[in-house]
Amino acid sequence: MPSTNRYTGLVDHYRSRLPLAADARAIALCEGRTPLIRLENLPRRLGLDVELYVKFEGLNPTGSFKDRGMTAAVTQAVHEGSRAIICASTGNTSAAAAAYAVRAGITAFVLIPEGKIALGKLAQAVVHGAVVIQVTGNFDDGMRLVKEVAQTSPVSIVNSINPYRLQGQKTAAFEIVEALGRAPDYHCLPVGNAGNISAYWMGYSEMTGRTTSASRAFGEKPAYDLTAVTNTRPTMVGYQAAGAAPFLRGGPVAHPETVATAIRIGDPQSWDFAWEAQRDSEGWFDECTDDEILATQKLLAQNEGVFCEPASAASLCGALRDLKAGKIRPGSTVVCTLTGNGLKDPDVVMKNGLAGLVQVPAERAAVEKALLARLG
Ligand code: AN7
């Protein structure tokens, strides 16, 4: 237990609800406790009858939800004596792995796809001193290779096939139930490898005293606290990028393509867990085009002051569409997870971002003229 009330991170805070040894030293960066922001302008301007929140996971220490899973996975790996971790990544997992490895004093190996990774994420892996291995292939190739080399090399896999990753990530659902006093009616997420939607479903389920298949990876009745604090669970809704939508196609996609590089994944590792979430919550999967995703990223930034990365905007994009269509019941409470921070990938917004730039000589009159022309 921490010796003061200072919040140190989710491992110490939720230790009784996690399958970690009591004496495992938390490898932590104060991750978690991210804001649940109620959207005010967008629902009003769009005329939607909804209580709509975003869980802004971009405010975790490395700027994405991956920190939740990484603190748990690295805490366990170090407890087991591991000296090195490895992951394949579209960017955010590698950023988190790199940072938590530094914190633990161990080595991180990260396999990233050729090109197609946001520069900010690569910079994070580099600055934290991870060994960056660029694979001439995509994320799915990297994932396959990680599984192969981990069979013979002394490295711990910290992709979400590591069950401690989902354990850490389930705590986001705990925080939401605590903040709202109950579970939302709907929870919407972007889906890539499908670990996060599986983790939220586990978290919401455990808040009602139930288990899921992901919980039962730690035994039929897991040796951690399942005390019920609410009786309802949300309908889980997963949104994919149209060019990388295996859940819509019914099987792996060989050549995934999307501007939302974080979810450019064709062969999701948590396939069965995610279908369980869909089935048991009576939810659904849907897809968003790249244009819709980018438009939603901008809509959110320009109406609410929240800047998320493209992949994250998929959750809000789909939710707004399903709200307009009435597929999400009017009057509902809806939470969308914004998985990552927009600052990681400025290139995508700067492509057309300089179009509105106003250039003037360094003179007061010129600046005043520019102001007047825009004050209406
Ligand atoms: C911002 O970093 O898979 O469905 O290697 O970075 O749990 O995979 C990232 C995934 C959504 C999808 N939003 O979550 C990686 C990686 C952002 C992400 C997802 C990712 P999952």
Side-chain angles (χ1 to χ4, degrees):
M1 284 299 283
S3 56
T4 67
N5 285 331
R6 187 175 68 89
Y7 180 83
T8 53
L10 59 90
V11 163
D12 280 328
H13 189 71
Y14 288 115
R15 201 176 272 264
S16 67
R17 287 183 172 271
L18 296 169
L20 294 164
D23 60 344
R25 179 175 67 95
I27 308 299
L29 289 167
C30 299
E31 56 293 309
R33 284 211 172 164
T34 55
L36 185 66
I37 304 170
R38 182 160 181 188
L39 300 191
E40 294 170 351
N41 300 320
L42 265 182
R44 192 179 65 244
R45 287 180 191 154
L46 298 174
L48 297 172
D49 173 19
V50 63
E51 196 174 314
L52 181 58
Y53 297 88
V54 291
K55 179 74 168 158
F56 192 20
E57 290 287 283
L59 292 184
N60 275 297
T62 79
S64 87
F65 73 97
K66 303 287 183 179
D67 294 339
R68 289 184 189 273
M70 204 56 69
T71 183
V74 176
T75 293
Q76 179 64 20
V78 169
H79 183 68
E80 291 172 2
S82 182
R83 301 296 310 150
I85 56 175
I86 189 168
C87 65
S89 179
T90 57
N92 281 324
T93 302
S94 59
Y100 285 82
V102 166
R103 196 73 168 160
I106 62 175
T107 304
F109 296 98
V110 305
L111 274 69
I112 58 165
E114 202 178 11
K116 309 290 169 100
I117 167 170
L119 192 59
K121 301 174 187 177
L122 185 56
Q124 289 179 288
V126 170
V127 80
H128 294 305
V131 181
V132 180
I133 301 170
Q134 194 179 59
V135 178
T136 50
N138 60 24
F139 170 85
D140 302 302
D141 295 313
M143 193 65 246
R144 174 176 50 79
L145 291 163
V146 161
K147 287 197 266 190
E148 286 173 17
V149 300
Q151 287 175 5
T152 48
S153 309
V155 291
S156 303
I157 298 178
V158 293
N159 281 105
S160 54
I161 57 171
N162 176 332
Y164 291 94
R165 276 279 312 276
L166 302 194
Q167 288 288 328
Q169 287 170 214
K170 76 183 180 184
T171 61
F174 295 171
E175 291 175 12
I176 291 165
V177 171
E178 287 163 7
L180 297 177
R182 66 179 195 91
D185 301 311
Y186 296 84
H187 191 109
C188 305
L189 289 136
V191 173
N193 223 5
N196 214 25
I197 194 167
S198 308
Y200 272 83
W201 182 239
M202 170 163 57
Y204 282 124
S205 296
E206 291 186 356
M207 284 303 242
T208 68
R210 296 181 178 90
T211 56
T212 66
S213 295
S215 323
R216 293 189 293 273
F218 292 90
E220 198 50 40
K221 196 175 180 307
Y224 55 85
D225 187 13
L226 289 168
T227 316
V229 288
T230 181
N231 6 347
T232 63
R233 296 184 289 183
T235 299
M236 301 299 293
V237 189
Y239 298 105
Q240 299 215 275
F247 283 96
L248 281 297
R249 310 290 169 256
V253 169
H255 301 289
E257 268 317 332
T258 169
V259 67
T261 53
I263 51 173
R264 187 169 167 264
I265 295 172
D267 187 9
Q269 299 296 305
S270 293
W271 181 259
D272 292 338
F273 287 163
W275 279 116
E276 177 181 321
Q278 177 275 325
R279 190 181 60 244
D280 291 354
S281 76
E282 296 174 36
W284 62 89
F285 293 104
D286 208 341
E287 59 194 295
C288 303
T289 65
D290 281 3
D291 286 349
E292 289 173 316
I293 287 171
L294 293 178
T296 306
Q297 180 191 32
K298 192 168 169 184
L299 191 74
L300 178 67
Q302 302 198 341
N303 283 278
E304 303 283 358
V306 176
F307 183 23
C308 70
E309 67 170 283
S312 310
S315 61
L316 183 63
C317 178
L320 292 176
R321 190 208 295 148
D322 285 338
L323 277 161
K324 284 178 204 159
K327 193 167 177 185
I328 294 180
R329 273 190 317 279
S332 299
T333 299
V334 180
V335 176
C336 295
T337 299
L338 298 179
T339 44
N341 198 305
L343 292 170
K344 284 171 174 273
D345 193 1
D347 292 351
V348 74
V349 292
M350 289 310 288
K351 287 224 169 74
N352 302 309
L354 289 174
L357 187 79
V358 182
Q359 259 190 317
V360 297
E363 290 159 14
R364 174 182 171 154
V367 177
E368 279 175 350
K369 194 172 154 213
L371 264 51
L372 277 177
R374 284 161 187 82
L375 280 171

